[in-house]
Amino acid sequence: MATAGKVIKCKAAVAWEAGKPLSIEEVEVAPPQAMEVRVKILYTALCHTDVYFWEAKGQTPVFPRILGHEAGGIVESVGEGVTELAPGDHVLPVFTGECKECVHCKSEESNMCDLLRINVDRGVMMGDGKSRFTINGKPIFHFVGTSTFSEYTVIHVGCLAKINPEAPLDKVCVLSCGISTGLGATLNVAKPVKGSTVAIFGLGAVGLAAMEGARLAGASRIIGVDLNPAKYEEAKKFGCTDFVNPKDHDKPVQEVLVEMTNGGVDRSVECTGNVNAMISAFECVHDGWGVAVLVGVPHKEAVFKTHPMNFLNEKTLKGTFFGNYKPRTDLPNVVEMYMKKELELEKFITHSVPFSEINTAFDLMLKGEGLRCIMRMGE
């Protein structure tokens, strides 16, 4: 492309300071260096993680910064040493990577790449420790290696999944983070068999993606657990057969679920990050074969307490990161599940706004309205 090797000027939404509305600015995006790729972002979605780091209440504040990590785009140019991607390829950026060389990447059981595992504090590229974004020569920091709230961004090749160019990027962009996380937690980690009973704790986008996984696996009973009763209607589209609000009961929700299911659910997936919900999700599974999977990220001081007899009674507790998907190897196959009409993505996308109205997407998420808001770049 004519722009290869040159600085590109484009629009980006910059977070200048914590909690302040993003500002649409003209930024300079440097060409990709060795093992980097410059991507033209066509669609980006807002995920709760962006809001969390924008608020910067619980972690190291890194500003000014270009947030964004759930997106779809097209390769504009590639840096030295990049052989598996070429200009024009359709890609999903991912906040974690797959170098294909480390012990984790070579293990069939892990997706936690040593080189490219998520780093929330790093605001620069790994190769030279510099940012590829500037405004009037001053650096603007990156976010989790992706920074998709920009019309162009520079990403390490190991954090880009090359996908079917026929796949509509305005739909499959949601697979680059939250939906894959929930879906994989069920399909790859909980692995419910056909006809089983599954409980999902937390019915946000990730929880509903876990529920979609249970539906795809053929679960006969899917119980949604949430403190907001309004979530039940939406959850029915994802296969929810029963709904439990812990506030409606005067005993722990795990006891309610054990009674409802004659001894406990076969599988549970916890998507809230609340440590009490995690304990409930574990204690509500059936002895002998029950498996609980933790997806939600707890706060730093959280401690998980349960009686060791729960383990001796053959209940299993597992955790997962990004649904145990290896980004480059596995995400193209998840896109194909959508293309074959097995996986439904449209129901996750509740809003769409022009990129210039990005603060509207933040407002919707802060109010807890909808699941995913897609932003159309160039508008």
Side-chain angles (χ1 to χ4, degrees):
M1 291 191 186
T3 45
K6 299 175 185 160
V7 170
I8 288 178
K9 288 188 174 182
C10 69
K11 297 260 190 310
V14 178
W16 289 101
E17 53 185 304
K20 294 279 160 63
L22 305 191
S23 161
I24 303 286
E25 309 278 359
E26 183 176 78
V27 297
E28 299 105 26
V29 185
Q33 301 299 307
M35 301 312 287
E36 296 172 3
V37 177
R38 190 160 58 183
V39 177
K40 180 178 186 176
I41 299 293
L42 296 186
Y43 299 95
T44 186
L46 181 63
C47 165
H48 198 266
T49 309
D50 298 305
V51 176
Y52 183 68
F53 283 91
W54 165 74
E55 291 177 323
K57 288 173 184 167
Q59 63 304 85
T60 319
V62 182
F63 295 99
R65 197 172 207 181
I66 295 173
L67 296 163
H69 63 283
E70 200 170 277
I74 296 178
V75 173
E76 174 269 338
S77 61
V78 301
E80 187 189 331
V82 175
T83 53
E84 50 273 67
L85 287 174
D89 283 345
H90 286 219
V91 289
L92 299 180
V94 186
F95 62 88
T96 186
E98 182 185 353
C99 72
K100 299 195 174 182
E101 300 294 324
C102 71
V103 288
H104 283 276
C105 287
K106 288 185 170 167
S107 158
E108 283 183 18
E109 295 179 54
S110 175
N111 65 341
M112 301 191 77
C113 176
D114 274 334
L115 180 70
L116 300 168
R117 190 180 305 185
I118 186 170
N119 182 323
V120 295
D121 296 329
R122 186 170 56 223
V124 292
M125 297 303 286
M126 289 168 53
D128 60 2
K130 292 179 182 162
S131 172
R132 301 288 171 260
F133 298 111
T134 51
I135 293 181
N136 301 326
K138 290 197 173 71
I140 306 293
F141 295 112
H142 293 250
F143 175 62
V144 297
T146 53
S147 291
T148 62
F149 294 166
S150 175
E151 292 173 334
Y152 286 86
T153 185
V154 176
I155 300 173
H156 191 285
V157 64
C159 297
L160 289 164
K162 180 181 172 181
I163 63 160
N164 181 346
E166 300 291 313
L169 288 171
D170 61 333
K171 306 292 189 295
V172 297
C173 65
V174 297
L175 290 173
S176 85
C177 175
I179 308 312
S180 296
T181 297
L183 185 73
T186 303
L187 295 180
N188 299 334
V189 188
K191 297 181 179 170
V193 297
K194 197 171 181 195
S196 54
T197 300
V198 181
I200 308 289
F201 286 72
L203 303 183
V206 175
L208 291 174
M211 190 171 275
E212 177 78 351
R215 182 186 74 78
L216 289 173
S220 62
R221 195 172 178 193
I222 302 174
I223 306 168
V225 182
D226 202 287
L227 295 169
N228 179 353
K231 297 274 180 84
Y232 184 29
E233 254 337 283
E234 185 84 56
K236 287 178 184 172
K237 296 180 200 164
F238 299 83
C240 189
T241 57
D242 304 72
F243 179 81
V244 176
N245 182 346
K247 287 194 287 200
D248 292 346
H249 303 273
D250 51 11
K251 56 183 160 189
V253 71
Q254 52 267 49
E255 292 178 22
V256 176
L257 290 161
V258 166
E259 282 175 20
M260 277 173 72
T261 54
N262 198 16
V265 299
D266 301 310
R267 300 289 185 266
S268 72
V269 185
E270 196 290 320
C271 303
T272 72
N274 177 300
V275 72
N276 295 319
M278 294 179 180
I279 294 165
S280 299
F282 176 53
E283 294 183 353
C284 79
V285 300
H286 207 290
D287 55 2
W289 62 79
V291 178
V293 178
L294 306 185
V295 181
V297 180
H299 66 78
K300 288 200 283 282
E301 282 75 46
V303 178
F304 186 103
K305 287 183 180 169
T306 191
H307 198 283
M309 277 311 295
N310 285 315
F311 295 100
L312 301 180
N313 287 333
E314 300 177 9
K315 296 181 177 191
T316 301
L317 179 64
K318 291 183 168 190
T320 175
F321 170 70
F322 192 52
N324 281 37
Y325 286 120
K326 290 180 186 273
R328 296 158 84 184
T329 303
D330 297 331
L331 270 196
N333 302 330
V334 183
V335 169
E336 291 311 311
M337 285 171 69
Y338 168 75
M339 296 300 279
K340 290 180 196 152
K341 298 192 167 40
E342 294 164 13
L343 170 62
E344 297 167 11
L345 294 178
E346 284 78 1
K347 58 195 180 188
F348 289 100
I349 301 165
T350 49
H351 298 84
S352 175
V353 297
F355 180 54
S356 56
E357 293 174 25
I358 186 167
N359 288 307
T360 304
F362 273 75
D363 292 341
L364 287 165
M365 187 158 278
L366 289 168
K367 285 183 203 152
E369 287 179 25
L371 296 172
R372 278 294 183 266
C373 179
I374 306 288
M375 289 164 276
R376 310 181 293 274
M377 306 304 283
E379 282 188 43

